[in-house]
Amino acid sequence: MKTNRILIVDDSVTTRYILKKNFAPYGDYQAVDNGLDALKAFRLGHSEEDPFKLMTLDIDMPVMEGKEVLSAIRYLEENNGILDRQIRQPDASVTEI
C-alpha cells in the first residue's frame, strides 16, 4: 500500500529536523539539502509511480535554488502529462490581509 510521501527540501539541518518531526505523523518523508537532489527525487518518485504528495521547498539553497527547482518541476508536469493542473479560485471564506 502506498503512503503519503513528503519531500523536505532545505539546506538547513535544523529546519529539516523540525519539518521531519512535524510531518512524520502524516506520511513517509525524504529530506534532501539542495535543489538538484530534490529534482532527482521528484523524477524518481514519478518514474516509480509513487510520487510525492507534498513538498516543502526552501527558496535559497546551494547547487540549485528553490525557484529553479519549481520551474523545472512545472516544466516536467506540463511536458510529460504528470499533473493535470487547474487554476482554482480562492474560497469565498479566504480573505487577504
Side-chain angles (χ1 to χ4, degrees):
M1 179 180 164
K2 294 182 182 178
T3 63
N4 291 324
R5 294 185 67 219
I6 302 163
L7 180 58
I8 297 168
V9 187
D10 203 297
D11 59 323
S12 165
V13 173
T14 303
T15 301
R16 286 195 313 271
Y17 174 79
I18 292 167
L19 290 172
K20 287 179 201 179
K21 284 191 71 162
N22 286 309
F23 285 116
Y26 302 103
D28 295 332
Y29 62 83
Q30 178 179 347
V32 297
D33 65 359
N34 68 70
L36 186 58
D37 287 344
L39 192 54
K40 289 177 184 177
F42 176 84
R43 287 179 173 156
L44 183 61
H46 280 282
S47 70
E48 294 177 346
E49 296 184 9
D50 192 17
F52 293 96
K53 303 294 183 191
L54 174 70
M55 178 189 298
T56 66
L57 184 58
D58 185 13
I59 298 301
D60 186 24
M61 294 182 293
V63 183
M64 184 180 212
E65 292 195 2
K67 290 180 183 181
E68 293 174 283
V69 175
L70 185 56
S71 292
I73 287 171
R74 293 297 181 231
Y75 177 84
L76 290 170
E77 289 174 338
E78 291 171 7
N79 292 291
N80 295 305
I82 291 175
L83 181 64
D84 182 19
R85 296 186 314 163
Q86 292 181 342
I87 297 173
R88 296 179 53 185
Q89 297 297 322
D91 294 341
S93 63
V94 176
T95 58
E96 291 186 33
I97 298 176

